[in-house]
CSV table of all heavy atoms in Angstrom, one decimal:
chain,number,residue,atom,x,y,z
E,774,ASP,N,-35.9,-116.1,112.9
E,774,ASP,CA,-37.0,-115.7,113.7
E,774,ASP,C,-36.6,-114.5,114.6
E,774,ASP,O,-35.7,-114.7,115.4
E,774,ASP,CB,-37.5,-116.9,114.5
E,774,ASP,CG,-38.6,-116.7,115.4
E,774,ASP,OD1,-38.9,-115.5,115.8
E,774,ASP,OD2,-39.2,-117.6,116.0
E,776,GLU,N,-37.6,-113.5,117.2
E,776,GLU,CA,-37.7,-113.8,118.6
E,776,GLU,C,-36.6,-114.6,119.1
E,776,GLU,O,-36.4,-115.0,120.3
E,776,GLU,CB,-39.1,-114.5,119.0
E,776,GLU,CG,-40.2,-113.5,118.9
E,776,GLU,CD,-41.4,-114.0,119.7
E,776,GLU,OE1,-41.5,-115.2,120.0
E,776,GLU,OE2,-42.3,-113.2,120.0
E,778,ILE,N,-33.6,-113.9,119.0
E,778,ILE,CA,-32.4,-113.0,119.4
E,778,ILE,C,-32.3,-112.9,120.8
E,778,ILE,O,-33.3,-113.2,121.5
E,778,ILE,CB,-32.6,-111.5,118.8
E,778,ILE,CG1,-31.4,-110.7,118.7
E,778,ILE,CG2,-33.8,-110.8,119.4
E,778,ILE,CD1,-31.5,-109.3,118.0
E,779,THR,N,-31.1,-112.7,121.4
E,779,THR,CA,-31.0,-112.7,122.8
E,779,THR,C,-31.3,-111.3,123.5
E,779,THR,O,-31.3,-110.4,122.7
E,779,THR,CB,-29.5,-113.1,123.1
E,779,THR,OG1,-28.7,-111.9,122.7
E,779,THR,CG2,-29.1,-114.3,122.7
E,780,ILE,N,-31.5,-111.3,124.7
E,780,ILE,CA,-31.8,-110.1,125.5
E,780,ILE,C,-30.6,-109.1,125.3
E,780,ILE,O,-30.7,-107.9,125.3
E,780,ILE,CB,-32.0,-110.4,127.0
E,780,ILE,CG1,-33.1,-111.5,127.1
E,780,ILE,CG2,-32.2,-109.2,127.8
E,780,ILE,CD1,-34.6,-111.0,127.1
E,781,LYS,N,-29.4,-109.7,125.5
E,781,LYS,CA,-28.2,-108.9,125.4
E,781,LYS,C,-28.1,-108.2,124.1
E,781,LYS,O,-27.7,-107.1,123.9
E,781,LYS,CB,-27.0,-109.9,125.6
E,781,LYS,CG,-25.7,-109.2,125.9
E,781,LYS,CD,-24.6,-110.0,126.6
E,781,LYS,CE,-23.7,-109.3,127.2
E,781,LYS,NZ,-22.8,-110.1,128.2
E,784,LYS,N,-30.6,-105.3,123.9
E,784,LYS,CA,-30.1,-104.2,124.6
E,784,LYS,C,-29.0,-103.3,123.9
E,784,LYS,O,-29.0,-102.1,124.0
E,784,LYS,CB,-29.5,-104.7,126.1
E,784,LYS,CG,-30.6,-105.0,127.1
E,784,LYS,CD,-30.0,-105.1,128.5
E,784,LYS,CE,-31.1,-105.5,129.4
E,784,LYS,NZ,-30.5,-105.8,130.8
E,864,ASP,N,-24.5,-116.5,114.4
E,864,ASP,CA,-23.4,-116.2,115.4
E,864,ASP,C,-22.2,-115.5,114.8
E,864,ASP,O,-21.9,-116.0,113.6
E,864,ASP,CB,-23.1,-117.4,116.1
E,864,ASP,CG,-21.9,-117.2,117.2
E,864,ASP,OD1,-20.7,-117.1,116.9
E,864,ASP,OD2,-22.4,-117.0,118.4
E,866,MET,N,-19.1,-115.8,115.3
E,866,MET,CA,-17.9,-116.5,115.2
E,866,MET,C,-18.1,-117.8,114.4
E,866,MET,O,-17.2,-118.7,114.5
E,866,MET,CB,-17.2,-116.7,116.5
E,866,MET,CG,-16.8,-115.6,117.2
E,866,MET,SD,-15.8,-114.4,116.2
E,866,MET,CE,-14.2,-114.5,117.2
E,868,PHE,N,-19.0,-119.2,110.8
E,868,PHE,CA,-19.2,-119.1,109.3
E,868,PHE,C,-19.9,-117.6,109.1
E,868,PHE,O,-20.8,-117.5,108.5
E,868,PHE,CB,-20.1,-120.2,108.8
E,868,PHE,CG,-19.4,-121.5,108.9
E,868,PHE,CD1,-19.8,-122.5,109.9
E,868,PHE,CD2,-18.5,-121.9,108.0
E,868,PHE,CE1,-19.2,-123.7,110.0
E,868,PHE,CE2,-17.9,-123.2,108.1
E,868,PHE,CZ,-18.2,-124.0,109.1
E,879,LYS,N,-8.6,-106.8,115.4
E,879,LYS,CA,-7.7,-107.3,116.6
E,879,LYS,C,-6.1,-107.1,116.1
E,879,LYS,O,-5.4,-106.6,117.1
E,879,LYS,CB,-7.9,-108.8,116.6
E,879,LYS,CG,-8.9,-109.2,117.6
E,879,LYS,CD,-9.3,-110.6,117.4
E,879,LYS,CE,-8.1,-111.5,118.1
E,879,LYS,NZ,-8.6,-113.0,118.1
E,887,LEU,N,-13.1,-104.6,122.0
E,887,LEU,CA,-13.7,-105.4,121.2
E,887,LEU,C,-14.7,-106.3,122.0
E,887,LEU,O,-14.2,-107.0,123.0
E,887,LEU,CB,-12.8,-106.2,120.3
E,887,LEU,CG,-13.4,-107.3,119.5
E,887,LEU,CD1,-14.2,-107.0,118.3
E,887,LEU,CD2,-12.2,-108.2,118.9
E,897,THR,N,-28.2,-125.1,115.3
E,897,THR,CA,-29.1,-125.6,116.3
E,897,THR,C,-30.6,-125.3,115.9
E,897,THR,O,-31.5,-125.9,116.3
E,897,THR,CB,-28.8,-125.1,117.8
E,897,THR,OG1,-29.0,-123.8,117.8
E,897,THR,CG2,-27.4,-125.5,118.1
E,904,LYS,N,-36.4,-131.3,114.6
E,904,LYS,CA,-36.5,-132.2,115.8
E,904,LYS,C,-35.5,-133.3,115.7
E,904,LYS,O,-35.6,-134.4,116.3
E,904,LYS,CB,-37.9,-132.7,116.1
E,904,LYS,CG,-38.9,-131.6,116.3
E,904,LYS,CD,-40.3,-132.0,116.7
E,904,LYS,CE,-41.2,-130.9,116.9
E,904,LYS,NZ,-41.7,-130.2,115.7
E,907,LEU,N,-28.4,-132.9,117.1
E,907,LEU,CA,-27.0,-132.8,116.4
E,907,LEU,C,-26.1,-133.9,117.1
E,907,LEU,O,-25.5,-134.6,116.4
E,907,LEU,CB,-26.6,-131.5,116.8
E,907,LEU,CG,-27.3,-130.3,115.9
E,907,LEU,CD1,-27.0,-129.1,116.5
E,907,LEU,CD2,-26.9,-130.4,114.5
E,908,ALA,N,-25.9,-134.0,118.3
E,908,ALA,CA,-25.1,-134.9,118.9
E,908,ALA,C,-25.3,-135.0,120.5
E,908,ALA,O,-25.7,-134.1,121.0
E,908,ALA,CB,-23.6,-134.5,118.6
E,909,GLU,N,-25.1,-136.2,120.9
E,909,GLU,CA,-25.3,-136.5,122.4
E,909,GLU,C,-24.1,-137.1,122.8
E,909,GLU,O,-23.4,-137.9,122.2
E,909,GLU,CB,-26.6,-137.3,122.5
E,909,GLU,CG,-26.8,-138.4,121.5
E,909,GLU,CD,-28.1,-138.9,121.4
E,909,GLU,OE1,-28.6,-139.7,122.1
E,909,GLU,OE2,-28.7,-138.6,120.3
E,910,LYS,N,-23.9,-137.1,124.2
E,910,LYS,CA,-23.0,-137.8,125.0
E,910,LYS,C,-21.6,-138.0,124.3
E,910,LYS,O,-20.8,-137.0,124.3
E,910,LYS,CB,-23.5,-139.1,125.2
E,910,LYS,CG,-23.6,-139.4,126.8
E,910,LYS,CD,-24.2,-140.8,127.0
E,910,LYS,CE,-24.0,-141.2,128.5
E,910,LYS,NZ,-24.7,-142.4,128.8
E,911,ASN,N,-21.2,-139.1,123.8
E,911,ASN,CA,-20.0,-139.4,123.3
E,911,ASN,C,-19.8,-139.2,121.8
E,911,ASN,O,-18.9,-139.8,121.2
E,911,ASN,CB,-19.4,-140.8,123.5
E,911,ASN,CG,-19.5,-141.0,125.1
E,911,ASN,OD1,-19.3,-140.2,125.9
E,911,ASN,ND2,-20.0,-142.2,125.5
E,912,GLU,N,-20.8,-138.6,121.2
E,912,GLU,CA,-20.8,-138.5,119.7
E,912,GLU,C,-19.9,-137.3,119.2
E,912,GLU,O,-19.9,-136.3,119.8
E,912,GLU,CB,-22.3,-138.4,119.2
E,912,GLU,CG,-23.2,-139.6,119.5
E,912,GLU,CD,-24.4,-139.4,119.0
E,912,GLU,OE1,-24.9,-138.3,118.7
E,912,GLU,OE2,-25.1,-140.5,119.0
E,914,LEU,N,-19.5,-134.7,116.1
E,914,LEU,CA,-20.2,-133.9,115.2
E,914,LEU,C,-19.2,-133.1,114.3
E,914,LEU,O,-18.4,-132.5,114.7
E,914,LEU,CB,-21.1,-133.0,115.9
E,914,LEU,CG,-21.7,-131.8,115.1
E,914,LEU,CD1,-22.8,-132.4,114.2
E,914,LEU,CD2,-22.6,-130.9,116.1
E,915,SER,N,-19.4,-133.4,112.9
E,915,SER,CA,-18.4,-132.6,112.0
E,915,SER,C,-19.4,-131.7,111.2
E,915,SER,O,-20.3,-132.2,110.6
E,915,SER,CB,-17.6,-133.5,111.2
E,915,SER,OG,-16.7,-134.1,112.0
E,916,ILE,N,-18.9,-130.5,111.1
E,916,ILE,CA,-19.7,-129.4,110.3
E,916,ILE,C,-18.8,-129.1,109.0
E,916,ILE,O,-17.6,-128.6,109.1
E,916,ILE,CB,-20.0,-128.3,111.2
E,916,ILE,CG1,-20.8,-128.7,112.4
E,916,ILE,CG2,-20.6,-127.2,110.4
E,916,ILE,CD1,-20.6,-127.7,113.6
E,918,PRO,N,-18.7,-127.2,105.2
E,918,PRO,CA,-19.2,-126.4,104.2
E,918,PRO,C,-19.4,-127.2,102.9
E,918,PRO,O,-18.6,-128.1,102.6
E,918,PRO,CB,-18.2,-125.4,104.0
E,918,PRO,CG,-17.4,-125.4,105.2
E,918,PRO,CD,-17.4,-126.8,105.7
E,920,SER,N,-18.8,-126.6,100.0
E,920,SER,CA,-17.7,-126.3,99.0
E,920,SER,C,-16.5,-127.5,99.2
E,920,SER,O,-15.7,-127.5,98.4
E,920,SER,CB,-17.1,-125.0,99.1
E,920,SER,OG,-16.9,-124.8,100.6
E,925,ARG,N,-12.8,-135.6,100.6
E,925,ARG,CA,-12.5,-135.1,102.0
E,925,ARG,C,-13.7,-135.4,102.9
E,925,ARG,O,-13.7,-135.8,104.0
E,925,ARG,CB,-12.2,-133.7,102.0
E,925,ARG,CG,-11.6,-133.3,103.4
E,925,ARG,CD,-11.0,-131.8,103.3
E,925,ARG,NE,-10.7,-131.4,104.6
E,925,ARG,CZ,-10.7,-130.1,104.9
E,925,ARG,NH1,-11.1,-129.1,104.0
E,925,ARG,NH2,-10.5,-129.7,106.2
E,932,HIS,N,-15.2,-140.9,110.6
E,932,HIS,CA,-14.9,-140.7,112.0
E,932,HIS,C,-16.0,-140.0,112.7
E,932,HIS,O,-15.7,-139.7,113.9
E,932,HIS,CB,-13.6,-140.2,112.1
E,932,HIS,CG,-12.5,-140.9,111.3
E,932,HIS,ND1,-12.0,-142.0,111.8
E,932,HIS,CD2,-11.9,-140.6,110.2
E,932,HIS,CE1,-11.1,-142.5,110.9
E,932,HIS,NE2,-11.0,-141.6,109.9
E,934,ASP,N,-20.2,-139.2,114.1
E,934,ASP,CA,-21.5,-139.9,114.2
E,934,ASP,C,-22.4,-139.0,113.6
E,934,ASP,O,-23.6,-139.6,113.2
E,934,ASP,CB,-21.7,-140.0,115.7
E,934,ASP,CG,-20.7,-140.8,116.4
E,934,ASP,OD1,-20.7,-142.0,116.3
E,934,ASP,OD2,-19.7,-140.2,117.1
D,1039,ASP,N,-24.7,-116.7,130.9
D,1039,ASP,CA,-25.2,-115.2,131.2
D,1039,ASP,C,-26.6,-115.1,131.0
D,1039,ASP,O,-27.2,-115.5,129.9
D,1039,ASP,CB,-24.4,-114.4,130.2
D,1039,ASP,CG,-24.7,-112.9,130.3
D,1039,ASP,OD1,-25.8,-112.6,130.8
D,1039,ASP,OD2,-24.0,-112.2,129.6
D,1041,GLU,N,-28.5,-112.9,130.3
D,1041,GLU,CA,-28.9,-112.1,129.2
D,1041,GLU,C,-28.7,-112.9,127.8
D,1041,GLU,O,-29.1,-112.3,126.7
D,1041,GLU,CB,-28.2,-110.9,129.1
D,1041,GLU,CG,-28.6,-109.8,130.3
D,1041,GLU,CD,-28.2,-108.4,130.1
D,1041,GLU,OE1,-27.4,-108.1,129.2
D,1041,GLU,OE2,-28.8,-107.5,130.8
D,1043,ILE,N,-30.1,-115.3,126.9
D,1043,ILE,CA,-31.4,-116.2,126.6
D,1043,ILE,C,-32.2,-115.4,125.5
D,1043,ILE,O,-32.1,-114.2,125.4
D,1043,ILE,CB,-32.2,-116.4,127.8
D,1043,ILE,CG1,-33.3,-117.5,127.8
D,1043,ILE,CG2,-32.8,-115.2,128.4
D,1043,ILE,CD1,-33.9,-117.9,129.0
D,1044,THR,N,-32.9,-116.3,124.7
D,1044,THR,CA,-33.7,-115.5,123.6
D,1044,THR,C,-35.1,-115.0,124.2
D,1044,THR,O,-35.5,-115.4,125.2
D,1044,THR,CB,-33.9,-116.5,122.5
D,1044,THR,OG1,-34.9,-117.5,122.9
D,1044,THR,CG2,-32.7,-117.2,121.9
D,1045,ILE,N,-35.6,-114.0,123.4
D,1045,ILE,CA,-36.8,-113.5,123.6
D,1045,ILE,C,-37.9,-114.6,123.7
D,1045,ILE,O,-38.8,-114.5,124.5
D,1045,ILE,CB,-37.2,-112.5,122.5
D,1045,ILE,CG1,-36.2,-111.3,122.3
D,1045,ILE,CG2,-38.7,-111.9,122.7
D,1045,ILE,CD1,-36.2,-110.3,123.4
D,1046,LYS,N,-37.9,-115.5,122.7
D,1046,LYS,CA,-38.7,-116.6,122.6
D,1046,LYS,C,-38.8,-117.5,123.9
D,1046,LYS,O,-39.8,-117.9,124.4
D,1046,LYS,CB,-38.4,-117.4,121.3
D,1046,LYS,CG,-39.6,-118.3,120.9
D,1046,LYS,CD,-39.4,-118.7,119.5
D,1046,LYS,CE,-40.6,-119.3,118.9
D,1046,LYS,NZ,-40.7,-119.4,117.5
D,1049,LYS,N,-40.4,-115.5,126.8
D,1049,LYS,CA,-41.9,-115.5,126.6
D,1049,LYS,C,-42.5,-116.9,127.1
D,1049,LYS,O,-43.5,-116.9,127.7
D,1049,LYS,CB,-42.3,-115.3,125.2
D,1049,LYS,CG,-42.2,-113.8,124.8
D,1049,LYS,CD,-42.8,-113.5,123.4
D,1049,LYS,CE,-42.7,-112.0,123.1
D,1049,LYS,NZ,-43.3,-111.8,121.6
D,1129,ASP,N,-28.3,-125.3,124.4
D,1129,ASP,CA,-29.3,-125.7,123.4
D,1129,ASP,C,-29.9,-127.1,123.5
D,1129,ASP,O,-29.0,-128.0,123.8
D,1129,ASP,CB,-28.7,-125.6,121.8
D,1129,ASP,CG,-29.7,-125.9,120.8
D,1129,ASP,OD1,-29.8,-127.1,120.5
D,1129,ASP,OD2,-30.3,-124.9,120.4
D,1131,MET,N,-30.8,-129.5,121.6
D,1131,MET,CA,-30.5,-130.5,120.6
D,1131,MET,C,-28.8,-130.7,120.5
D,1131,MET,O,-28.4,-131.4,119.5
D,1131,MET,CB,-31.0,-130.2,119.2
D,1131,MET,CG,-32.5,-130.3,119.2
D,1131,MET,SD,-33.2,-131.8,120.0
D,1131,MET,CE,-34.1,-132.4,118.6
D,1133,PHE,N,-25.7,-131.7,122.6
D,1133,PHE,CA,-25.2,-132.4,123.8
D,1133,PHE,C,-25.9,-132.1,125.0
D,1133,PHE,O,-25.4,-131.6,126.1
D,1133,PHE,CB,-23.7,-131.9,123.9
D,1133,PHE,CG,-22.8,-132.4,122.9
D,1133,PHE,CD1,-22.4,-131.5,122.0
D,1133,PHE,CD2,-22.3,-133.7,122.9
D,1133,PHE,CE1,-21.5,-131.9,120.8
D,1133,PHE,CE2,-21.4,-134.1,121.8
D,1133,PHE,CZ,-21.1,-133.2,120.8
D,1138,TYR,N,-32.5,-137.3,125.0
D,1138,TYR,CA,-33.1,-138.6,125.3
D,1138,TYR,C,-34.6,-138.7,125.6
D,1138,TYR,O,-35.3,-139.4,125.1
D,1138,TYR,CB,-32.4,-139.3,126.6
D,1138,TYR,CG,-31.0,-139.3,126.3
D,1138,TYR,CD1,-30.1,-138.2,126.8
D,1138,TYR,CD2,-30.4,-140.3,125.7
D,1138,TYR,CE1,-28.7,-138.3,126.7
D,1138,TYR,CE2,-29.0,-140.3,125.4
D,1138,TYR,CZ,-28.2,-139.4,126.0
D,1138,TYR,OH,-26.9,-139.3,125.7
D,1144,LYS,N,-41.1,-138.6,121.3
D,1144,LYS,CA,-41.5,-138.7,119.9
D,1144,LYS,C,-42.0,-140.1,119.5
D,1144,LYS,O,-42.8,-140.4,118.8
D,1144,LYS,CB,-40.3,-138.4,119.1
D,1144,LYS,CG,-40.0,-137.0,118.7
D,1144,LYS,CD,-38.6,-136.6,118.1
D,1144,LYS,CE,-38.6,-137.1,116.6
D,1144,LYS,NZ,-37.1,-136.7,116.1
D,1152,LEU,N,-45.0,-131.2,120.1
D,1152,LEU,CA,-43.7,-131.0,120.7
D,1152,LEU,C,-43.0,-129.7,119.9
D,1152,LEU,O,-43.2,-129.6,118.7
D,1152,LEU,CB,-42.8,-132.3,120.2
D,1152,LEU,CG,-41.2,-132.3,120.5
D,1152,LEU,CD1,-40.9,-132.2,122.0
D,1152,LEU,CD2,-40.7,-133.5,119.8
D,1162,THR,N,-20.5,-121.4,120.8
D,1162,THR,CA,-20.2,-120.1,120.1
D,1162,THR,C,-20.0,-119.1,121.3
D,1162,THR,O,-19.3,-118.2,121.2
D,1162,THR,CB,-21.4,-119.7,119.3
D,1162,THR,OG1,-22.6,-119.5,120.1
D,1162,THR,CG2,-21.6,-120.6,118.2
D,1169,LYS,N,-12.6,-114.7,121.7
D,1169,LYS,CA,-12.5,-113.9,120.5
D,1169,LYS,C,-11.9,-114.8,119.3
D,1169,LYS,O,-11.1,-114.3,118.5
D,1169,LYS,CB,-11.9,-112.7,120.7
D,1169,LYS,CG,-12.6,-111.8,121.7
D,1169,LYS,CD,-12.1,-110.4,121.8
D,1169,LYS,CE,-12.9,-109.5,122.7
D,1169,LYS,NZ,-12.6,-109.8,124.1
D,1172,LEU,N,-14.7,-120.0,115.2
D,1172,LEU,CA,-14.8,-121.5,115.1
D,1172,LEU,C,-14.4,-122.0,113.8
D,1172,LEU,O,-13.6,-122.8,113.6
D,1172,LEU,CB,-16.2,-121.8,115.5
D,1172,LEU,CG,-16.6,-121.7,116.9
D,1172,LEU,CD1,-18.1,-121.7,117.3
D,1172,LEU,CD2,-16.0,-122.8,117.8
D,1173,ALA,N,-15.1,-121.4,112.7
D,1173,ALA,CA,-14.9,-121.9,111.4
D,1173,ALA,C,-15.4,-120.7,110.4
D,1173,ALA,O,-16.4,-120.0,110.8
D,1173,ALA,CB,-15.5,-123.0,111.0
D,1174,GLU,N,-14.7,-120.5,109.3
D,1174,GLU,CA,-15.1,-119.6,108.3
D,1174,GLU,C,-15.1,-120.2,106.9
D,1174,GLU,O,-14.3,-121.2,106.7
D,1174,GLU,CB,-14.1,-118.3,108.4
D,1174,GLU,CG,-12.6,-118.8,108.5
D,1174,GLU,CD,-11.8,-117.6,109.0
D,1174,GLU,OE1,-11.3,-116.8,108.1
D,1174,GLU,OE2,-11.4,-117.8,110.2
D,1175,LYS,N,-15.8,-119.7,106.1
D,1175,LYS,CA,-15.9,-120.1,104.5
D,1175,LYS,C,-15.8,-121.6,104.4
D,1175,LYS,O,-16.8,-122.3,104.5
D,1175,LYS,CB,-14.7,-119.3,104.0
D,1175,LYS,CG,-15.1,-118.6,102.6
D,1175,LYS,CD,-14.0,-117.8,102.2
D,1175,LYS,CE,-14.5,-117.2,100.8
D,1175,LYS,NZ,-13.5,-116.2,100.4
D,1176,ASN,N,-14.7,-122.1,103.9
D,1176,ASN,CA,-14.5,-123.5,103.5
D,1176,ASN,C,-14.0,-124.4,104.5
D,1176,ASN,O,-13.4,-125.5,104.3
D,1176,ASN,CB,-13.7,-123.6,102.3
D,1176,ASN,CG,-14.1,-122.6,101.1
D,1176,ASN,OD1,-15.4,-122.5,100.9
D,1176,ASN,ND2,-13.2,-122.0,100.4
D,1177,GLU,N,-14.0,-124.0,105.8
D,1177,GLU,CA,-13.4,-124.7,106.9
D,1177,GLU,C,-14.4,-125.9,107.5
D,1177,GLU,O,-15.4,-125.5,107.5
D,1177,GLU,CB,-12.8,-123.8,108.0
D,1177,GLU,CG,-11.7,-122.9,107.5
D,1177,GLU,CD,-11.1,-122.0,108.6
D,1177,GLU,OE1,-11.9,-121.8,109.6
D,1177,GLU,OE2,-10.1,-121.4,108.4
D,1179,LEU,N,-15.2,-127.9,110.7
D,1179,LEU,CA,-15.2,-127.9,112.1
D,1179,LEU,C,-15.7,-129.2,112.8
D,1179,LEU,O,-16.8,-129.6,112.5
D,1179,LEU,CB,-16.1,-126.8,112.6
D,1179,LEU,CG,-16.4,-126.7,114.3
D,1179,LEU,CD1,-15.3,-126.4,115.0
D,1179,LEU,CD2,-17.5,-125.6,114.4
D,1180,SER,N,-14.8,-129.8,113.6
D,1180,SER,CA,-15.3,-131.1,114.3
D,1180,SER,C,-15.3,-130.9,115.8
D,1180,SER,O,-14.5,-130.3,116.4
D,1180,SER,CB,-14.4,-132.2,114.0
D,1180,SER,OG,-14.5,-132.6,112.5
D,1181,ILE,N,-16.5,-131.4,116.3
D,1181,ILE,CA,-16.8,-131.2,117.7
D,1181,ILE,C,-16.6,-132.5,118.4
D,1181,ILE,O,-17.4,-133.5,118.0
D,1181,ILE,CB,-18.2,-130.5,117.9
D,1181,ILE,CG1,-18.1,-129.1,117.2
D,1181,ILE,CG2,-18.5,-130.4,119.3
D,1181,ILE,CD1,-19.4,-128.6,116.9
D,1183,PRO,N,-16.4,-134.8,122.0
D,1183,PRO,CA,-16.4,-135.0,123.5
D,1183,PRO,C,-15.1,-135.5,123.9
D,1183,PRO,O,-14.6,-136.3,123.3
D,1183,PRO,CB,-17.6,-135.9,123.7
D,1183,PRO,CG,-18.4,-136.0,122.4
D,1183,PRO,CD,-17.4,-135.7,121.3
D,1185,SER,N,-14.5,-137.6,126.0
D,1185,SER,CA,-14.5,-139.0,126.3
D,1185,SER,C,-14.1,-139.9,125.0
D,1185,SER,O,-13.8,-141.1,125.1
D,1185,SER,CB,-15.9,-139.4,126.7
D,1185,SER,OG,-16.8,-139.1,125.7
D,1190,ARG,N,-8.9,-141.9,117.9
D,1190,ARG,CA,-10.0,-141.4,117.0
D,1190,ARG,C,-9.9,-139.9,116.8
D,1190,ARG,O,-10.0,-139.3,115.7
D,1190,ARG,CB,-11.3,-141.9,117.5
D,1190,ARG,CG,-12.5,-141.6,116.6
D,1190,ARG,CD,-13.8,-142.2,117.2
D,1190,ARG,NE,-14.8,-141.7,116.4
D,1190,ARG,CZ,-16.2,-141.4,116.9
D,1190,ARG,NH1,-16.5,-141.9,118.1
D,1190,ARG,NH2,-17.1,-141.0,116.2
D,1197,HIS,N,-8.5,-134.3,109.4
D,1197,HIS,CA,-9.3,-133.8,108.1
D,1197,HIS,C,-10.0,-132.5,108.6
D,1197,HIS,O,-10.9,-132.0,107.9
D,1197,HIS,CB,-10.3,-134.8,107.8
D,1197,HIS,CG,-9.6,-136.1,107.4
D,1197,HIS,ND1,-9.0,-136.2,106.2
D,1197,HIS,CD2,-9.5,-137.3,108.0
D,1197,HIS,CE1,-8.5,-137.5,106.2
D,1197,HIS,NE2,-8.8,-138.1,107.2
D,1199,ASP,N,-10.1,-128.3,110.0
D,1199,ASP,CA,-9.5,-127.0,110.3
D,1199,ASP,C,-9.5,-126.5,111.5
D,1199,ASP,O,-8.6,-125.9,112.1
D,1199,ASP,CB,-10.0,-126.1,109.2
D,1199,ASP,CG,-10.0,-126.5,107.8
D,1199,ASP,OD1,-8.8,-126.5,107.3
D,1199,ASP,OD2,-11.0,-126.9,107.2
Side-chain angles (χ1 to χ4, degrees):
Chain E
D774 178 342
E776 291 201 338
I778 192 170
T779 65
I780 305 283
K781 196 163 198 162
K784 283 192 180 173
D864 179 277
M866 297 309 244
F868 297 99
K879 272 170 74 176
L887 171 68
T897 65
K904 302 185 177 77
L907 289 162
E909 48 201 277
K910 237 177 168 172
N911 306 321
E912 291 180 346
L914 166 66
S915 286
I916 299 159
S920 53
R925 190 172 168 209
H932 306 285
D934 299 288
Chain D
D1039 178 342
E1041 291 200 338
I1043 192 170
T1044 65
I1045 305 283
K1046 196 162 197 161
K1049 282 192 179 174
D1129 179 276
M1131 297 310 244
F1133 295 101
Y1138 305 99
K1144 271 170 75 177
L1152 171 69
T1162 67
K1169 302 185 178 76
L1172 289 162
E1174 49 200 274
K1175 235 175 170 173
N1176 306 321
E1177 292 180 346
L1179 166 66
S1180 286
I1181 299 160
S1185 53
R1190 190 173 167 206
H1197 306 285
D1199 300 287

